[in-house]
Amino acid sequence: MRFFFHYPEPQYPEPGGTDAAVLSAGPLREVATAVERAGFDGLSLSEHPAPGARWSGSGGHQTLDPFVALSFVAAVTSRLRLLTYLAVAPYRNPLLLAKAAATLDLVSDGRVTLGLGAGYQKSEFHALGVDFEERNQLFDEVLDTLPLHWHGSAFSYEGKHFSARDVIARPRPTQGRIPIWIGGNSALSRRRVAERAQGWMPMSGDSQLSTTARTPALGSIDQLAHRISELRAAAAAAGRDEPIDVVYSYGQGIDVPLHEPDRHRESFARLAEAGVTWIVVSGRADSTAATVDFVESFGATYLAGR
C-alpha cells in the first residue's frame, strides 16, 4: 500500500468564509518537503477553476491550479508522485491538457499521474464556456488525444470543437505515456478505466456527496472489492495485462493520526485485501503547524519502517 497526502483545501463555511486563504494549510514548499520527509509516496491537488458561489458557501472549496502548483512541488521534492486529484478533462482543449501534463512530467523527471474526471458542477461548466451535456463526449476525445500528443509524432484528430491536422507536439513525457487514473463510481467511469486507463479513483463519501458529484454511492469495502474485481476482469477481457491501480480517499477519523492507530491499520489492511493500491489522506486547512503536525504524526505512525 502506498499513500498520497492531499493538500488541504479550506472548506466553507469556515471562520474566514470564502475569503479564507487557499494556502491556509501552509506554504506549499514547507508542506511538500514535510510530506516527502515523512515517507509519503505522493502529493495530490484538486481543481476548481471557477466554482459556483452557492456550492462554495455550502461546503465547497477553492483550489490552486494543479499543474502550476505541482510544478512547484516538483521543484522542491525529488521522490513524490504528483497527482491531479482530479483535473476535469472537458474543461480544456485536449492538446492544452496534454501539453501541461507532458511539461510537468518532463520537469519532474517522470513523476506525474494524471487523474481525470468528467466533472459535475454545471455552473463551472457554464463559466468556462463548456457544454455540460457534452462532457462525456469531450472526455472520450481527451482519452483519444493524449496518447497521440505524447507519442511525439505527427497526427491528425477531428474533435467536436477542434481540428488537429498533421500536428506534432513536444515535449514527450519522460515516462513515455503518463499513467491516467479516472475518477467516478459510474459504470461508464469503470468501463473507461478497464479499457483505457491505468487506475481508478472511486469517490468515497456519504449519499449527499454522491448526489452533489452526480455519481453513484460507493458502498461498503466489500462492495468496493466486488467492483475492483469486476473492473480488473473487464480489463483482462479487453486484452490488457498491465496492473490497474485503485486509489481510495480515507477520512475515517484519521484527522488525529495517533488516535486509534490499530483501527486504522486494520482498515488499511482491509482496503489492501479489497484491491486498493493507494490511499489518500488529508488534514485540516487551519495552519502550517497543524498540517505539518498531521504529516509528521501520520508518517511516524503508519509509514515508518515500510
Side-chain angles (χ1 to χ4, degrees):
M1 184 69 74
R2 289 175 288 179
F3 292 84
F4 276 105
F5 178 75
H6 186 77
Y7 185 87
E9 295 115 356
Q11 301 289 317
Y12 307 127
E14 288 287 343
T18 54
D19 293 325
V22 177
L23 288 175
S24 60
L28 204 53
R29 176 193 299 273
E30 188 169 344
V31 173
T33 54
V35 167
E36 186 164 64
R37 189 171 59 246
F40 282 88
D41 302 285
L43 186 145
S44 63
L45 288 166
S46 187
E47 171 174 65
H48 278 294
R54 185 172 65 176
W55 178 78
S56 297
S58 58
H61 57 266
Q62 298 288 335
T63 70
L64 301 166
D65 180 287
F67 294 99
V68 174
L70 287 173
S71 292
F72 185 84
V73 172
V76 300
T77 62
S78 61
R79 180 182 53 78
L80 294 178
R81 294 294 301 181
L82 310 169
L83 172 66
T84 54
Y85 191 56
L86 46 72
V88 182
Y91 284 174
R92 294 175 178 83
N93 176 293
L95 303 178
L96 292 175
L97 176 60
K99 173 73 78 172
T103 301
L104 178 57
D105 198 61
L106 182 67
V107 301
S108 69
D109 197 24
R111 291 189 277 148
V112 175
T113 299
L114 184 60
L116 297 175
Y120 59 86
Q121 273 202 49
K122 281 188 175 182
S123 63
E124 198 162 50
F125 275 81
H126 294 159
L128 297 172
V130 182
D131 188 335
F132 182 78
E133 301 304 325
E134 294 178 353
R135 67 191 185 282
N136 282 310
Q137 179 181 352
L138 299 180
F139 196 166
D140 288 334
E141 290 182 359
V142 165
L143 295 177
D144 290 342
T145 306
L146 291 177
L148 297 173
H149 187 291
W150 293 339
H151 189 268
S153 302
F155 71 94
S156 298
Y157 186 89
E158 195 72 26
K160 186 173 181 63
H161 300 295
F162 73 99
S163 179
R165 301 178 184 179
D166 195 32
V167 300
I168 185 167
R170 302 286 172 84
R172 293 189 181 100
T174 299
Q175 297 177 89
R177 185 167 179 174
I178 297 169
I180 296 171
W181 293 358
I182 292 177
N185 301 345
S186 68
L188 177 57
S189 295
R190 299 196 307 274
R191 185 165 68 248
R192 285 186 176 123
V193 173
E195 295 175 354
R196 313 183 69 176
Q198 289 71 50
W200 180 37
M201 303 184 296
M203 178 175 284
S204 57
D206 57 22
S207 57
Q208 181 178 355
L209 178 61
S210 296
T211 299
T212 300
R214 304 174 191 270
T215 195
L218 185 60
S220 67
I221 292 179
D222 288 340
Q223 290 171 310
L224 172 62
H226 178 68
R227 294 295 190 198
I228 294 172
S229 179
E230 285 184 331
L231 186 153
R232 289 179 172 149
R240 302 183 62 201
D241 58 6
E242 61 184 317
I244 302 290
D245 278 304
V246 178
V247 60
Y248 183 88
S249 181
Y250 186 88
Q252 302 170 27
I254 198 69
D255 52 315
V256 182
L258 295 177
H259 183 60
E260 298 185 302
D262 290 339
R263 178 173 70 86
H264 295 305
R265 290 191 186 99
E266 183 178 328
S267 294
F268 296 159
R270 286 191 63 205
L271 288 166
E273 291 173 2
V276 172
T277 55
W278 289 82
I279 286 175
V280 176
V281 297
S282 191
R284 291 181 58 82
D286 296 341
S287 66
T288 304
T291 302
V292 172
D293 179 67
F294 173 91
V295 166
E296 292 178 344
S297 296
F298 190 95
T301 306
Y302 305 105
L303 306 180
R306 288 190 300 156

